[in-house]
Amino acid sequence: MTGATLPPLPVQPPDVDWPTLSWRRGPLPPSVDAKRLARLIDRGFTDFEETHAVVVVQSGRLVLDRYGPAHGPEATCLSWSMAKSITHALVGIAVRDGLLDVMAPAPVPEWRSPGDPRGAITTDQLLRMSSGLRFSEVYEPDKPSDTIEMMWGSGKADVAHYAASQPLDHTPGTFFSYSSGTTNIICRILAEVTGLRGEVFAAFMQERLFEHLGMRTPVPKFDPAGTFIGSSFCFASGQDFARFGLLYLRDGVWNGRRLLPEGWVDYARTQTFQQTGVTDGPYGAHWWLGLGGEGSFSANGHEGQFTLLVPDLDLIIVRHGRTSAALKDALKVWMGEMAAAFRT
């Protein structure tokens, strides 16, 4: 779980309090063209249908936040797949507790029959979207979609069982295929190794993660089987997602206390093998790579949810909203432009 070639992660400035209680506000750096940035922010609220929140943190200070109608600093926003990166943190906590070895075959009951090739799938391969399991990650109701069937159709009572019951299409570790199903399998593994489900697991999330960071708004959702739907549903405010981002930008350490295993953040931002033809962008382990330039990594969600971390700029950019797939690529370009505005 090392990343020797990765850019170093910045440390919290000694004169800046950790935002456990509230964010220290600060001015934009003199090097930033404030007028250019203002134009970018205006575009962010006019060009992408609905924008609910934009929060920018640099060097541990909140330097910019703006909210859409009916939203504000405490308003919870959709996470969609940004919850996958929260799931990565929860796996890290289980690893640190000695409950899980991500390099070992994943403990999945549907794969235990002798000779079942799925039994070789590791938790690492699930985290890297390289399990080889069949899964159609589609959000359009008029097209075949395992995502929709899992969360709102026949699989909704037990999302992990639905995903784990899919056949193997590729040898594990040889084929990248983004899948919300694999995340929900991981979430059931977490429930089993901790012995916690439903509201008791929610209390675990609060005690071991959110409370330390001062995140007061998260609302995780669970299926009827008690599995955290970590593929898609952990509502929180923009400022709280920025707190979560700061934990990763600070290498899993908060106010002098290590919450995630040493090397866990580097593991998240170490690139996964992808076969020729993948167009979604490079991927690590439940984090996307490169949205804000080389060395950046991000939690991305459906309809344009982003928590972008840029280590060399000590920068966090959070964006929430509802943006259709037709504007998806333009919104990603805008996120990159936002990061570039701090690079001048």
Side-chain angles (χ1 to χ4, degrees), residues 13 16 23-24 26-29 31-32 56-64 249-250 310 312-316 339 342-343:
V16 179
W23 283 100
R24 168 83 67 88
L28 291 170
S31 60
V32 174
V56 182
V57 173
Q58 189 169 45
S59 300
R61 300 176 178 87
L62 180 64
V63 298
L64 187 156
L249 203 56
R250 298 294 182 254
V310 189
D312 69 305
L313 298 174
D314 198 358
L315 180 69
I316 303 167
F342 285 80
R343 204 174 289 284

Side-chain angles (χ1 to χ4, degrees), residues 85-97:
S85 298
I86 291 175
T87 298
H88 180 270
L90 298 172
V91 174
I93 291 169
V95 168
R96 194 158 189 261
D97 287 352

Side-chain angles (χ1 to χ4, degrees), residues 288-298 300 306-313 315 317 332-341 343:
W288 292 93
L289 309 179
L291 180 65
E294 187 175 356
S296 67
F297 58 117
S298 57
N300 301 359
F306 296 101
T307 298
L308 170 62
L309 313 180
V310 189
D312 69 305
L313 298 174
L315 180 69
I317 302 173
K332 285 185 174 181
V333 170
W334 179 82
M335 288 292 297
E337 290 175 340
M338 284 285 293
R343 204 174 289 284

Side-chain angles (χ1 to χ4, degrees), residues 255-278:
N255 197 18
R257 181 173 183 173
R258 176 161 290 285
L259 302 182
L260 304 178
E262 188 171 357
W264 192 247
V265 174
D266 284 354
Y267 170 61
R269 62 193 184 121
T270 297
Q271 189 166 351
T272 293
F273 165 79
Q274 292 175 315
Q275 68 279 6
T276 302
V278 173

Side-chain angles (χ1 to χ4, degrees), residues 106-343:
V108 177
E110 289 87 350
W111 306 341
R112 289 177 184 158
S113 298
D116 190 331
R118 298 174 300 178
I121 298 170
T122 65
T123 305
D124 168 68
Q125 289 162 346
L126 293 170
L127 286 166
R128 295 191 175 281
M129 301 295 180
S130 302
S131 68
L133 291 172
R134 180 182 302 169
F135 196 87
S136 172
E137 185 79 12
V138 176
Y139 290 85
E140 300 170 53
D142 59 337
K143 295 182 179 179
S145 168
D146 285 311
T147 308
I148 293 173
E149 190 66 20
M150 175 181 66
M151 293 197 292
W152 295 284
S154 63
K156 66 181 180 181
D158 190 339
V159 294
H161 175 69
Y162 177 90
S165 299
Q166 301 305 307
L168 199 66
D169 275 351
H170 303 277
T171 302
T174 67
F175 191 87
F176 174 85
S177 181
Y178 184 80
S179 162
S180 289
T182 61
T183 306
N184 292 329
I185 296 170
I186 292 168
C187 288
R188 189 180 61 182
I189 291 171
L190 287 171
E192 291 178 349
V193 299
T194 61
L196 308 174
R197 293 181 180 272
E199 290 304 313
V200 185
F201 190 83
F204 170 82
M205 295 171 69
Q206 177 67 25
E207 178 185 352
R208 297 297 301 277
L209 182 61
F210 301 143
E211 187 174 303
H212 290 293
L213 310 185
M215 293 177 68
R216 290 174 285 277
T217 64
V219 181
K221 298 293 185 181
F222 294 80
D223 71 5
T227 300
F228 169 45
I229 309 177
S231 65
S232 313
F233 297 130
C234 190
F235 299 78
S237 70
Q239 290 194 21
D240 272 354
F241 271 108
R243 287 181 170 92
F244 178 69
L246 186 65
L247 173 67
Y248 270 74
L249 203 56
R250 298 294 182 254
D251 194 27
V253 173
W254 192 270
N255 197 18
R257 181 173 183 173
R258 176 161 290 285
L259 302 182
L260 304 178
E262 188 171 357
W264 192 247
V265 174
D266 284 354
Y267 170 61
R269 62 193 184 121
T270 297
Q271 189 166 351
T272 293
F273 165 79
Q274 292 175 315
Q275 68 279 6
T276 302
V278 173
T279 59
D280 288 339
Y283 200 73
H286 268 44
W287 286 80
W288 292 93
L289 309 179
L291 180 65
E294 187 175 356
S296 67
F297 58 117
S298 57
N300 301 359
H302 181 55
E303 296 185 321
Q305 325 309 320
F306 296 101
T307 298
L308 170 62
L309 313 180
V310 189
D312 69 305
L313 298 174
D314 198 358
L315 180 69
I316 303 167
I317 302 173
V318 176
R319 188 270 180 184
H320 290 285
R322 288 183 182 270
T323 300
S324 63
L327 294 172
K328 173 183 175 182
D329 290 341
L331 181 55
K332 285 185 174 181
V333 170
W334 179 82
M335 288 292 297
E337 290 175 340
M338 284 285 293
F342 285 80
R343 204 174 289 284

